[in-house]
Amino acid sequence: MPKDAIVFVDEAYAEFSGVSLIPELERLPNVVVGRTFSKAFGLAGLRIGAITGHPDALEPIRLAVPVYSVNIAAVVAVQAALQDLAYMEQYKAEVEESKTRLYAACDRLGLRYWKSAANFVLVNAGERAERLAHGAAARGIYVRNRSKEPGREGCLRVGAGVVAHTERCIDVFEEVLCGAE
Ligand SMILES: *Cc1c(COP(=O)(O)O)cnc(C)c1O
């Protein structure tokens, strides 16, 4: 670990993975951990998160952050979110169930995938990627088409959130890949 540099660890998906460096920060004075309310708490777009680290590491950041950097709508939303952690736990459970169902669907459809610690899954549809992405979009299901990106040929990033949405996504995948032309 470089001694004269600050290392930023992005924990945007930590609620889903259950893994965090925060308990170790006491012995890592040059590490700063970033968390967001955009993912597990469903507050994307409100631009609210938190950083945690040794006071010496945080001080220069504190000096650089403008006053009023957090907007009032975000403050109200975070207070409400923190008073309803059961909602976040419920969403986490839905994500786990969605991933399980998506993996099973990929196995049935002969699609490779990487097990995910987040709320999305990278699926390798190979030659079928374009057809799957376009066919799904035409049916109202949007997946991120990564198939043209270096190292991710044939890959789609599929969201795995609310189970009812995942079920619809799986139905559409089956229709596009197995349905009669
Ligand atoms: C979502 C996300 C963030 C934080 O997003 P904000 O909406 O700006 O809080 C940070 N890193 C990664 C990798 C993310 O996916």
Side-chain angles (χ1 to χ4, degrees):
M1 191 86 75
K3 281 280 169 283
D4 53 357
I6 293 289
V7 177
F8 179 81
V9 177
D10 186 343
E11 292 194 353
Y13 298 92
E15 289 85 3
F16 305 116
S17 70
V19 179
S20 174
L21 202 59
I22 290 175
E24 315 286 324
L25 288 180
E26 211 144 4
R27 59 173 188 86
L28 299 169
N30 63 334
V31 175
V32 171
V33 169
R35 299 284 281 265
T36 179
F37 286 90
S38 289
K39 305 286 155 56
F41 292 90
L43 301 183
L46 283 170
R47 305 264 75 84
I48 182 95
I51 54 174
T52 306
H54 191 280
D56 292 348
L58 293 183
E59 190 51 27
I61 300 173
R62 208 184 291 278
L63 292 175
V65 172
V67 287
Y68 308 128
S69 63
V70 174
N71 73 78
I72 189 69
V75 171
V76 171
V78 160
Q79 286 171 339
L82 292 176
Q83 273 165 31
D84 189 9
L85 290 178
Y87 178 88
M88 192 268 283
E89 291 298 333
Q90 167 64 26
Y91 179 61
K92 267 171 60 179
E94 294 241 356
V95 168
E96 279 310 304
E97 179 61 22
S98 280
K99 287 193 288 189
T100 302
R101 293 189 191 195
L102 196 53
Y103 297 154
C106 287
D107 288 336
R108 286 197 301 278
L109 293 165
L111 299 169
R112 284 183 54 218
Y113 57 90
W114 286 265
K115 287 219 163 150
S116 167
N119 61 342
F120 58 85
V121 177
L122 192 66
V123 173
N124 188 341
E127 307 273 270
R128 298 178 287 175
E130 290 294 321
R131 183 156 68 91
L132 188 52
H134 289 122
R139 291 163 177 80
I141 296 291
Y142 299 97
V143 298
R144 291 254 194 102
N145 190 347
R146 303 289 201 201
S147 62
K148 295 273 185 289
E149 296 175 9
R152 287 184 279 193
E153 288 81 7
C155 289
L156 306 173
R157 189 193 126 146
V158 183
V162 175
V163 172
H165 300 170
T166 304
E167 277 300 305
R168 173 73 189 135
C169 174
I170 291 168
D171 287 349
V172 160
F173 278 12
E174 287 176 342
E175 193 180 311
V176 173
L177 294 177
C178 311
E181 289 292 317

